[in-house]
Amino acid sequence: MKLVRRISFLLVLSGVMLGLGGYGALKAEEFFYPNKYQNRDKHVQTPKVTKTAQEEWPEEQVIEAAVEEKPVVTADTLYLVETVDLSEGKVDEKEESMPVRYIGLDREELLEELSFYDSNPPLTELELGFESIELTAFSKDRVAICKYYRPKKENRGFYLMVADHFIVVYEEDKQTLYMNTDILLESLDDALQAQIICGKYVENEEALYRFLESYSS
């Protein structure tokens, strides 16, 4: 019976000594290798930092999405075209259908398109005396452009005729009075008088005004 008690006591003592030895070894390792346990603690805290970053990221995405996009031309955008006759100073404005090639363009792209049009106008525009085009207003609701024209004057002839002893000028139809003058028929030489009495043809405005300057009093 005493032998059994001694054996039990030795086993318990051995267990206690083994536990104390292990605890002492762990503390000694922690003392001599502190970085090992600090790195382990940092590694454990990493998910918390990552979670915070993930919580902030959606907020950044919302801010970027809130930035207003550039306005572009749509099929519903009001399209106003102003035409200016540079020769007579006439201005006309009207609403037209939005050209398909302009739909979907922002301001810079539309300016580029108009610049190309200005450099390469259609033949029909050239025949009308087209000179230039410019953008005068731009928004998603309204686009306005201005076209400038200088119509080419046709070379038209005139007739010098007589009315009450004075030279008068008629247009080519000999029916429409173009202007009266203060030039007396008798002030001209006989040959010229004979031509005017029969109706002297003058080929254009330049020739007409040369004649009037030469014989006006």
Side-chain angles (χ1 to χ4, degrees), residues 156 158 169-171 176-180 205 208-209:
R156 53 178 178 169
F158 302 91
V169 182
Y170 280 85
E171 295 186 3
T176 305
L177 179 65
Y178 183 71
M179 71 165 61
N180 293 304
E205 286 185 343
L208 173 63
Y209 285 103

Side-chain angles (χ1 to χ4, degrees), residues 19-149:
L20 290 175
Y23 178 77
L26 181 61
K27 286 296 183 180
E29 184 178 6
E30 183 177 352
F31 177 80
F32 289 106
Y33 302 97
N35 292 332
K36 177 178 179 181
Y37 292 93
Q38 291 177 1
N39 292 337
R40 184 182 64 183
D41 294 340
K42 290 181 180 179
H43 179 72
V44 172
Q45 295 175 356
T46 300
K48 183 177 180 180
V49 174
T50 304
K51 182 178 180 181
T52 303
Q54 289 176 346
E55 290 174 350
E56 293 177 354
W57 177 250
E59 182 179 354
E60 295 178 0
Q61 289 182 327
V62 171
I63 293 174
E64 293 178 358
V67 177
E68 185 177 358
E69 296 181 356
K70 290 183 178 179
V72 298
V73 178
T74 69
D76 296 326
T77 302
L78 180 65
Y79 183 55
L80 298 177
V81 179
E82 183 180 57
T83 57
V84 178
D85 186 330
L86 296 174
S87 298
E88 301 183 5
K90 293 181 180 180
V91 179
D92 182 46
E93 185 179 75
K94 60 181 178 179
E95 180 181 345
E96 296 184 3
S97 299
M98 180 64 67
V100 176
R101 65 181 179 278
Y102 294 165
I103 296 176
L105 302 183
D106 59 26
R107 188 176 188 279
E108 289 73 20
E109 292 169 337
L110 181 57
L111 285 172
E112 185 177 348
E113 182 70 23
L114 294 179
S115 177
F116 178 81
Y117 188 95
D118 188 77
S119 303
N120 304 275
L123 180 59
T124 53
E125 289 279 55
L126 292 175
E127 291 175 348
L128 294 174
F130 174 85
E131 288 211 344
S132 64
I133 186 173
E134 69 173 346
L135 179 67
T136 56
F138 181 90
S139 71
K140 65 178 180 179
D141 300 317
R142 176 176 174 270
V143 168
I145 66 169
C146 185
K147 292 183 177 181
Y148 297 93
Y149 296 87

Side-chain angles (χ1 to χ4, degrees), residues 149-169:
Y149 296 87
R150 194 180 298 276
K152 298 178 181 179
K153 294 183 178 180
E154 298 179 0
N155 289 329
R156 53 178 178 169
F158 302 91
Y159 280 94
L160 300 175
M161 303 178 75
V162 182
D164 297 329
H165 302 281
F166 286 93
I167 307 300
V168 293
V169 182

